Amino acid sequence: MPWLPPHETRLAELTNRRRVRGGLADALAGADAVVGLSRAGVLTRALVASMGEAPVVFALAAPEPEIRPELVSDIAAVVATGHGDYPNRVDNALAFPGVFRGALDARAPRITMPMRLAAADVLAGLVPREALSTTRLLPEVLDEQVAPTVAGAVAAVAAERRRRVAPAAGGVLRQDTARNVSPQEGVGP
């Protein structure tokens, strides 16, 4: 894909394992799920109808989703958006306060993929099994247990990593975990 910038080429390699060529209609034909992060109006009822049986639609464009849930709720198994007026709100506010609090509490030098996965894991577990439904996959953004639960999970993962990374001679952390702070340069690896 020589016409794409390197970061988009890498994303396409990770997300387009079927090597589909063409436009959105080609990519969605027969697909089980779509995660939209573009703009309102990109998805149509016809596009969703062309997907596999009972598709999952995450229309996460902000402030308006790629398609309004009521337009496809009869053909999609699950529809989620980032908009507070619809069920299944996927909002970064579910993760960020807890992720940052946990990283700060554990004095983590960076947010790692295991920390992010721990946050996702506990978020998924905050909705009791009996309450899970096609319209309730995640807890509410203002649920008071979200931030502290995510923070605890993130801090635990970060603390475990710090325990596994033994200090080098002289008690100084190895370069991959050390943080240098200087007033002139700021914080850096």
Side-chain angles (χ1 to χ4, degrees):
M1 293 167 268
W3 66 91
L4 290 176
H7 68 282
E8 289 182 13
T9 298
R10 179 71 179 130
L11 182 61
E13 290 168 356
L14 292 170
T15 60
N16 187 13
R17 294 195 175 151
R18 295 185 299 148
R19 304 279 188 234
V20 174
R21 292 181 142 327
L24 185 58
D26 301 302
L28 291 181
D32 295 323
V34 60
V35 178
L37 301 167
S38 57
R39 65 183 188 283
V42 170
L43 290 178
T44 64
R45 181 175 173 80
L47 285 172
V48 174
S50 78
M51 295 174 69
E53 185 177 334
V56 174
V57 177
F58 277 41
L60 303 178
E64 294 299 318
E66 284 83 358
I67 191 164
R68 292 192 331 266
E70 63 271 14
L71 298 177
V72 292
S73 60
D74 61 322
I75 55 176
V78 174
V79 181
T81 73
H83 201 285
D85 291 346
Y86 297 112
N88 280 335
R89 181 177 182 191
V90 178
D91 192 310
N92 61 15
L94 285 167
F96 285 128
V99 168
F100 289 132
R101 177 80 269 153
L104 289 169
D105 290 348
R107 296 181 167 196
R110 65 188 47 87
I111 307 295
T112 65
M113 184 57 73
M115 292 161 70
R116 288 180 266 177
L117 291 172
D121 236 8
V122 297
L123 278 172
L126 283 175
V127 177
R129 185 173 286 287
E130 62 276 2
L132 280 174
S133 71
T134 59
T135 59
R136 183 155 188 233
L137 301 174
L138 294 168
E140 296 295 322
V141 171
L142 297 178
D143 183 329
E144 291 182 7
Q145 65 180 341
V146 169
T149 304
V150 170
V154 167
V157 168
E160 178 59 31
R161 183 174 191 280
R162 287 181 77 79
R163 278 192 289 280
R164 285 182 296 156
V165 176
V172 177
L173 288 178
R174 291 192 328 228
Q175 183 61 33
D176 67 333
T177 59
R179 299 289 275 184
N180 303 315
V181 181
S182 81
Q184 294 81 24
E185 299 172 19
V187 177

